Amino acid sequence: MNLTIQKNDKKAYLLIGIFSVIVFAAVVFLSRFTIAVDLGFDKHIFAKINAVLNSLVSVLLVMALMAIKQKNIAKHRTYMLSAMLLSALFLVSYIAHHLFTGDTKFGGEGMMRFIYFIILITHIFLAAIILPFILFTAYRGLLSEVAQHKRLARVTFPLWLYVSITGVIVYFMISPYYM
């Protein structure tokens, strides 16, 4: 298989590192602000969009796994790049949701509250660290460095799948408390 991109590890590490830090900083920084503006529609539509995007990413990740197990590299690549694109759209929608609505407090009690916070905390932690893993894994795949790509994917895939699935679970658990 031909290289899709030119190999330049030093530049790739630098760009992936800078991009990952900028995205993380933007999410943290922008989560501290709320813009009070009437958009003319329910601002929580962004949360629904996020859940749909996360669901689609989860499906694409599983389809990509099935494609690579069938040795269909072209389909695998298409599914993975599509998952990355939808994840980027998710990020934009996520930031918009939090900018326009602020935080929503979970109103559940007892064991449900405990379960919610366990899922939420693990989701947030892994979501915060997954981006460079995704980008490094994609970089190795686009270079056709199969051994390195597989080694990274063994860690990246389950973490990314967990983040996308738990994002949907968090949405369903918190959505009754949107005002």
Side-chain angles (χ1 to χ4, degrees):
M1 175 176 267
N2 294 335
L3 290 177
T4 304
I5 60 174
Q6 290 289 331
K7 182 173 180 163
N8 186 338
D9 286 352
K10 191 173 185 176
K11 187 176 182 180
Y13 292 158
L14 180 65
L15 291 174
I16 289 170
I18 290 170
F19 184 71
S20 298
V21 168
I22 288 171
V23 168
F24 179 77
V27 169
V28 170
F29 179 75
L30 293 173
S31 70
R32 308 254 186 258
F33 295 98
T34 304
I35 299 173
V37 61
D38 182 8
L39 298 176
F41 57 85
D42 180 9
K43 297 173 190 175
H44 293 293
I45 189 71
F46 293 112
K48 290 176 186 166
I49 292 168
N50 293 344
V52 169
L53 290 171
N54 268 329
S55 297
L56 292 172
V57 167
S58 298
V59 170
L60 285 167
L61 290 174
V62 171
M63 290 171 61
L65 178 65
M66 292 181 345
I68 203 61
K69 288 201 178 281
Q70 296 169 352
K71 304 211 184 311
N72 191 332
I73 295 168
K75 275 188 180 179
H76 173 74
R77 180 179 296 197
T78 299
Y79 294 146
M80 292 308 298
L81 292 174
S82 298
M84 290 177 70
L85 175 64
L86 291 180
S87 291
L89 292 174
F90 163 84
L91 180 61
V92 171
S93 180
Y94 176 86
I95 289 171
H97 182 247
H98 285 277
L99 272 176
F100 295 127
T101 65
D103 289 333
T104 300
K105 304 295 181 213
F106 182 73
E109 298 175 355
M111 185 55 79
M112 281 308 279
R113 185 172 186 79
F114 177 75
I115 291 169
Y116 171 78
F117 281 110
I118 292 296
I119 293 170
L120 180 65
I121 290 165
T122 58
H123 171 80
I124 289 171
F125 174 75
L126 293 173
I129 65 168
I130 194 66
L131 180 59
F133 285 93
I134 292 168
L135 296 176
F136 281 120
T137 305
Y139 174 67
R140 293 294 174 207
L142 292 171
L143 288 173
S144 296
E145 293 180 347
V146 177
Q148 296 93 325
H149 176 74
K150 283 172 87 172
R151 193 173 2 187
L152 284 167
R154 285 191 178 111
V155 174
T156 305
F157 174 81
L159 295 178
W160 192 4
L161 185 62
Y162 179 85
V163 168
S164 63
I165 290 171
T166 56
V168 177
I169 293 169
V170 166
Y171 166 75
F172 281 114
M173 292 182 82
I174 193 75
S175 62
Y177 305 103
Y178 289 147
M179 293 185 177

Tab-separated table of all heavy atoms in Angstrom, residues 60-77 79 150:
chain	number	residue	atom	x	y	z
A	60	LEU	N	-19.148	3.465	13.585
A	60	LEU	CA	-18.035	3.495	12.631
A	60	LEU	C	-16.799	2.775	13.180
A	60	LEU	O	-16.098	2.082	12.435
A	60	LEU	CB	-17.689	4.933	12.259
A	60	LEU	CG	-18.663	5.607	11.295
A	60	LEU	CD1	-18.412	7.114	11.253
A	60	LEU	CD2	-18.554	4.994	9.902
A	61	LEU	N	-16.532	2.948	14.459
A	61	LEU	CA	-15.379	2.272	15.057
A	61	LEU	C	-15.538	0.751	14.989
A	61	LEU	O	-14.592	0.034	14.653
A	61	LEU	CB	-15.176	2.729	16.498
A	61	LEU	CG	-14.688	4.163	16.681
A	61	LEU	CD1	-14.678	4.537	18.160
A	61	LEU	CD2	-13.322	4.368	16.061
A	62	VAL	N	-16.725	0.275	15.298
A	62	VAL	CA	-16.966	-1.173	15.238
A	62	VAL	C	-16.893	-1.656	13.792
A	62	VAL	O	-16.301	-2.712	13.503
A	62	VAL	CB	-18.319	-1.533	15.901
A	62	VAL	CG1	-18.686	-2.988	15.645
A	62	VAL	CG2	-18.268	-1.231	17.394
A	63	MET	N	-17.454	-0.881	12.860
A	63	MET	CA	-17.382	-1.254	11.437
A	63	MET	C	-15.923	-1.272	10.957
A	63	MET	O	-15.533	-2.143	10.173
A	63	MET	CB	-18.221	-0.293	10.598
A	63	MET	CG	-19.716	-0.460	10.803
A	63	MET	SD	-20.714	0.821	10.013
A	63	MET	CE	-20.300	0.630	8.300
A	64	ALA	N	-15.125	-0.321	11.434
A	64	ALA	CA	-13.711	-0.276	11.059
A	64	ALA	C	-12.973	-1.498	11.582
A	64	ALA	O	-12.124	-2.069	10.883
A	64	ALA	CB	-13.067	1.011	11.590
A	65	LEU	N	-13.300	-1.897	12.801
A	65	LEU	CA	-12.691	-3.101	13.368
A	65	LEU	C	-13.061	-4.327	12.535
A	65	LEU	O	-12.199	-5.151	12.205
A	65	LEU	CB	-13.123	-3.285	14.826
A	65	LEU	CG	-12.587	-4.530	15.515
A	65	LEU	CD1	-11.066	-4.475	15.645
A	65	LEU	CD2	-13.235	-4.702	16.883
A	66	MET	N	-14.337	-4.440	12.181
A	66	MET	CA	-14.769	-5.582	11.369
A	66	MET	C	-14.084	-5.551	9.998
A	66	MET	O	-13.655	-6.600	9.498
A	66	MET	CB	-16.290	-5.579	11.225
A	66	MET	CG	-16.993	-5.870	12.539
A	66	MET	SD	-18.811	-5.945	12.561
A	66	MET	CE	-19.360	-5.223	11.082
A	67	ALA	N	-13.948	-4.365	9.417
A	67	ALA	CA	-13.307	-4.244	8.098
A	67	ALA	C	-11.855	-4.683	8.148
A	67	ALA	O	-11.379	-5.404	7.256
A	67	ALA	CB	-13.424	-2.809	7.583
A	68	ILE	N	-11.131	-4.275	9.168
A	68	ILE	CA	-9.714	-4.637	9.234
A	68	ILE	C	-9.553	-6.123	9.553
A	68	ILE	O	-8.610	-6.757	9.075
A	68	ILE	CB	-8.926	-3.736	10.213
A	68	ILE	CG1	-7.438	-3.732	9.846
A	68	ILE	CG2	-9.126	-4.143	11.648
A	68	ILE	CD1	-7.124	-3.215	8.472
A	69	LYS	N	-10.468	-6.683	10.321
A	69	LYS	CA	-10.412	-8.130	10.588
A	69	LYS	C	-10.648	-8.923	9.299
A	69	LYS	O	-10.172	-10.043	9.168
A	69	LYS	CB	-11.405	-8.522	11.671
A	69	LYS	CG	-10.958	-8.035	13.049
A	69	LYS	CD	-11.622	-8.804	14.147
A	69	LYS	CE	-11.148	-8.350	15.496
A	69	LYS	NZ	-9.853	-8.884	15.868
A	70	GLN	N	-11.387	-8.315	8.363
A	70	GLN	CA	-11.621	-8.937	7.052
A	70	GLN	C	-10.531	-8.530	6.053
A	70	GLN	O	-10.646	-8.815	4.867
A	70	GLN	CB	-12.998	-8.535	6.517
A	70	GLN	CG	-14.133	-9.031	7.355
A	70	GLN	CD	-15.475	-8.414	6.964
A	70	GLN	OE1	-15.552	-7.498	6.158
A	70	GLN	NE2	-16.536	-8.930	7.569
A	71	LYS	N	-9.516	-7.806	6.548
A	71	LYS	CA	-8.377	-7.348	5.753
A	71	LYS	C	-8.792	-6.374	4.640
A	71	LYS	O	-8.130	-6.270	3.609
A	71	LYS	CB	-7.590	-8.520	5.193
A	71	LYS	CG	-7.134	-9.474	6.288
A	71	LYS	CD	-5.867	-10.149	5.966
A	71	LYS	CE	-5.430	-11.170	6.981
A	71	LYS	NZ	-5.423	-10.816	8.340
A	72	ASN	N	-9.890	-5.650	4.876
A	72	ASN	CA	-10.347	-4.639	3.913
A	72	ASN	C	-9.829	-3.276	4.382
A	72	ASN	O	-10.518	-2.530	5.091
A	72	ASN	CB	-11.873	-4.653	3.807
A	72	ASN	CG	-12.361	-3.817	2.654
A	72	ASN	OD1	-11.718	-2.854	2.246
A	72	ASN	ND2	-13.515	-4.181	2.121
A	73	ILE	N	-8.607	-2.973	3.995
A	73	ILE	CA	-7.927	-1.764	4.463
A	73	ILE	C	-8.626	-0.508	3.960
A	73	ILE	O	-8.742	0.471	4.699
A	73	ILE	CB	-6.439	-1.799	4.043
A	73	ILE	CG1	-5.745	-2.963	4.770
A	73	ILE	CG2	-5.746	-0.484	4.348
A	73	ILE	CD1	-4.372	-3.289	4.248
A	74	ALA	N	-9.121	-0.535	2.735
A	74	ALA	CA	-9.784	0.657	2.180
A	74	ALA	C	-11.033	1.021	2.989
A	74	ALA	O	-11.240	2.191	3.330
A	74	ALA	CB	-10.140	0.428	0.713
A	75	LYS	N	-11.856	0.025	3.296
A	75	LYS	CA	-13.050	0.293	4.114
A	75	LYS	C	-12.653	0.738	5.513
A	75	LYS	O	-13.249	1.656	6.071
A	75	LYS	CB	-13.950	-0.947	4.208
A	75	LYS	CG	-14.904	-1.100	3.074
A	75	LYS	CD	-15.873	-2.241	3.359
A	75	LYS	CE	-16.840	-2.398	2.220
A	75	LYS	NZ	-17.774	-3.508	2.446
A	76	HIS	N	-11.652	0.061	6.079
A	76	HIS	CA	-11.179	0.417	7.424
A	76	HIS	C	-10.766	1.889	7.456
A	76	HIS	O	-11.163	2.631	8.344
A	76	HIS	CB	-10.006	-0.486	7.809
A	76	HIS	CG	-9.328	-0.100	9.087
A	76	HIS	ND1	-9.895	-0.328	10.319
A	76	HIS	CD2	-8.144	0.526	9.316
A	76	HIS	CE1	-9.073	0.135	11.265
A	76	HIS	NE2	-8.005	0.660	10.674
A	77	ARG	N	-9.984	2.291	6.491
A	77	ARG	CA	-9.507	3.672	6.420
A	77	ARG	C	-10.683	4.649	6.280
A	77	ARG	O	-10.733	5.668	6.967
A	77	ARG	CB	-8.544	3.835	5.256
A	77	ARG	CG	-8.006	5.246	5.117
A	77	ARG	CD	-7.059	5.371	3.985
A	77	ARG	NE	-5.897	4.533	4.264
A	77	ARG	CZ	-4.750	4.639	3.654
A	77	ARG	NH1	-4.579	5.519	2.706
A	77	ARG	NH2	-3.741	3.856	3.970
A	79	TYR	N	-13.829	4.213	7.185
A	79	TYR	CA	-14.590	4.260	8.438
A	79	TYR	C	-13.852	5.068	9.513
A	79	TYR	O	-14.457	5.849	10.244
A	79	TYR	CB	-14.882	2.848	8.957
A	79	TYR	CG	-15.796	2.030	8.075
A	79	TYR	CD1	-15.623	0.646	7.966
A	79	TYR	CD2	-16.831	2.608	7.341
A	79	TYR	CE1	-16.456	-0.123	7.172
A	79	TYR	CE2	-17.657	1.848	6.534
A	79	TYR	CZ	-17.470	0.483	6.459
A	79	TYR	OH	-18.296	-0.285	5.671
A	150	LYS	N	-0.926	-0.934	14.617
A	150	LYS	CA	-1.651	-1.967	15.366
A	150	LYS	C	-1.386	-1.857	16.861
A	150	LYS	O	-2.303	-1.996	17.671
A	150	LYS	CB	-1.249	-3.365	14.871
A	150	LYS	CG	-1.882	-3.751	13.561
A	150	LYS	CD	-1.310	-5.032	13.022
A	150	LYS	CE	-2.008	-6.238	13.542
A	150	LYS	NZ	-1.565	-7.484	12.866
